[in-house]
Amino acid sequence: MKINDFSLTDEEKIIFSLRSLYEKYGYEQYKMVKFEEYDLYVQNKEFLTSENVITFNDTSGKLMALKPDVTLSIIKNTKDTPQGIRKVYYNENVYRVSKNTKSYKELLQAGLECMGNIDLYCISETLSLAAMSLKLISDQSVLVITDLDVLSYAVSLLTADSSVSGELLRLAGEKNQHGIEALCRAEGISDEKCALFTELISIHDSSSAAIKKLRALLPDCELVDSLEKTLNSLKEFDDMTQVDFSYSGDLNYYNGIVFKGYVYGVPASVLSGGRYDALMSKMGKKSKAIGFAVYLDELEKIFDKGKQYDVDVLLLYSEGADLLKINRKVKELTDSGNCVLALSSVPEKLRYKTLIEL
């Protein structure tokens, strides 16, 4: 039986599309419980989008938490396979403060993780699937990519002090050029080196233009070669791909390629991901990893705009109407592919395409 589009919410339509996409590429579905020990999130709170976690005591008195994140649970509960590859996808509910309502919500999140002996193809495939995921959501979408290894290499040319490096990266993420220049002066970093770094973090270009600028700024950096190979593998998505070195993730968790996805009509990113080898190591795993999450709650801003009507047909019947006649008319309309609501009066604010009275 064909499923009528009205039977699915916008979220469900996207989830089914993403699930079909990920399974085509050999990813298996990962299912998990709704809660984990609270310590898991305390120890990795910087990795979470929000520090607010819903907790409760289980029957043994152990403090548990409704999971605010999926990646941490997958890492914790997946066997370490440093010589192999494990590819999983998920669509799970997470429990955290919504950016839209500022209150706790059960939010649907989809995504995938590739863990193990990560090579350039794994990175390329993950980025391609991120781009395809965005296209399934909207034709007007952008995938923004940066490389933290290249960014870290550039910082290492300025200073060997980890605290100064961290501050430079923080200021870069804020696009605070004046702050970077002031810090360089205070630390005795030359104007030439400072200018190189500020020019690097100003890169916001197409893949080919970004590589050209990187080669000019960092001619001896082999990391640029790997980045170029990765970007060249995404030629199919050139029209929606941008390289932006002002974006930086937390180096305590991320390394290498990191990326965010945006769709027209939503001011915040709806997709976020990257390499997180450091997080794997922190959690006692030898495997490397890359993945991303799609934040469906952010799409609420555009869901309602795409649906003009609540139902195709509002069928109004009078008191004492022939039940058989109503049933036959409803069946006739639904068999024709319509979504039908049969009522004795018109509800407030109901959006219907056609009104039929019996």
Side-chain angles (χ1 to χ4, degrees):
M1 181 180 72
K2 184 178 178 181
I3 299 176
N4 190 301
D5 276 350
F6 274 96
S7 5
L8 301 175
T9 66
D10 292 303
E11 280 187 344
E12 288 169 334
K13 292 173 191 175
I14 291 174
I15 284 293
F16 280 120
S17 298
L18 294 176
R19 176 175 178 170
S20 175
L21 171 65
Y22 304 153
E23 288 183 349
K24 283 180 183 177
Y25 283 77
Y27 287 73
E28 59 178 309
Q29 187 171 17
Y30 191 95
K31 299 291 289 183
M32 63 194 74
V33 296
K34 295 183 181 296
F35 45 84
E36 291 279 2
E37 292 185 29
Y38 179 58
D39 280 351
L40 174 65
Y41 305 115
V42 172
Q43 294 166 9
N44 299 284
K45 61 182 180 180
E46 294 88 353
F47 184 75
L48 303 176
T49 57
S50 170
E51 292 185 20
N52 297 303
V53 179
I54 302 173
T55 60
F56 64 95
N57 289 308
D58 72 3
T59 54
S60 67
K62 185 178 294 184
L63 189 61
M64 308 295 289
L66 289 176
K67 66 175 186 288
D69 176 82
V70 178
T71 300
L72 291 171
S73 292
I74 291 178
I75 296 173
K76 177 188 173 186
N77 298 302
T78 298
K79 183 180 178 181
D80 201 12
T81 54
Q83 302 307 316
I85 292 287
R86 178 87 190 276
K87 297 181 179 183
V88 299
Y89 78 90
Y90 59 85
N91 48 268
E92 294 282 341
N93 289 318
V94 294
Y95 306 84
R96 58 170 176 251
V97 175
S98 169
K99 294 178 183 177
N100 302 324
T101 65
K102 307 303 180 186
S103 59
Y104 281 112
K105 285 191 70 176
E106 183 179 36
L107 305 171
L108 188 57
Q109 181 177 310
L112 58 81
E113 313 292 348
C114 180
M115 296 169 288
N117 186 21
I118 301 299
D119 55 20
L120 282 179
Y121 175 75
C122 294
I123 298 169
S124 171
E125 181 183 78
T126 302
L127 286 167
S128 296
L129 287 169
M132 286 186 269
S133 298
L134 290 170
K135 280 184 172 289
L136 284 173
I137 296 168
S138 171
D139 289 332
Q140 295 178 288
S141 53
V142 177
L143 183 65
V144 180
I145 302 170
T146 194
D147 190 323
L148 293 185
D149 288 348
V150 173
L151 197 58
S152 296
Y153 172 82
V155 172
S156 73
L157 300 178
L158 275 66
T159 179
D161 188 321
S162 59
S163 63
V164 177
S165 298
E167 183 64 8
L168 284 169
L169 290 169
R170 185 188 68 79
L171 292 167
E174 295 176 354
K175 300 179 174 61
N176 187 346
Q177 182 172 334
H178 293 301
I180 291 170
E181 291 170 348
L183 180 60
C184 286
R185 285 194 298 270
E187 295 296 326
I189 298 170
S190 70
D191 291 343
E192 182 182 4
K193 288 183 177 180
C194 182
L196 181 149
F197 185 65
T198 55
E199 192 171 345
L200 173 70
I201 65 171
S202 70
I203 291 176
H204 185 91
D205 293 286
S206 65
S207 297
S208 57
I211 290 297
K212 186 176 180 180
K213 289 182 179 180
L214 285 171
R215 293 236 177 258
L217 291 170
L218 305 171
D220 300 320
C221 181
E222 294 181 359
L223 293 166
V224 177
D225 296 336
S226 295
L227 177 59
E228 184 176 23
K229 288 178 183 177
T230 300
L231 295 174
N232 284 341
S233 72
L234 303 174
K235 289 295 183 184
E236 178 186 350
F237 308 105
D238 261 357
D239 61 329
M240 62 175 293
T241 302
Q242 294 179 358
V243 178
D244 184 353
F245 272 88
S246 69
Y247 162 54
S248 61
D250 187 337
L251 292 178
N252 292 316
Y253 295 94
Y254 294 105
N255 62 287
I257 295 289
V258 292
F259 50 93
K260 285 185 178 291
Y262 300 85
V263 299
Y264 180 77
V266 181
S269 61
V270 302
L271 181 150
S272 181
R275 287 285 298 269
Y276 51 92
D277 300 350
L279 176 60
M280 295 290 283
S281 178
K282 182 179 179 184
M283 295 182 66
K285 307 286 185 177
K286 295 180 181 179
S287 297
K288 311 301 182 183
I290 186 170
F292 63 82
V294 181
Y295 305 114
L296 295 169
D297 58 308
E298 291 294 340
L299 299 175
E300 291 174 358
K301 299 176 179 68
I302 59 173
F303 281 159
D304 289 339
K305 295 178 183 178
K307 190 173 180 181
Q308 292 179 289
Y309 304 103
D310 300 311
V311 294
D312 290 322
V313 179
L314 173 61
L315 182 64
L316 280 182
Y317 57 83
S318 58
E319 186 178 348
D322 187 326
L323 295 180
L324 183 58
K325 185 177 180 181
I326 298 172
N327 287 338
R328 285 175 176 169
K329 189 63 178 177
V330 170
K331 187 175 187 307
E332 174 192 328
L333 291 166
T334 55
D335 285 350
S336 299
N338 293 294
C339 173
V340 182
L341 180 62
L343 295 171
S344 60
S345 61
V346 182
E348 288 186 24
K349 299 181 180 179
L350 179 73
R351 298 173 300 174
Y352 54 87
K353 190 185 301 183
T354 306
L355 174 67
I356 297 177
E357 297 185 56
L358 286 180

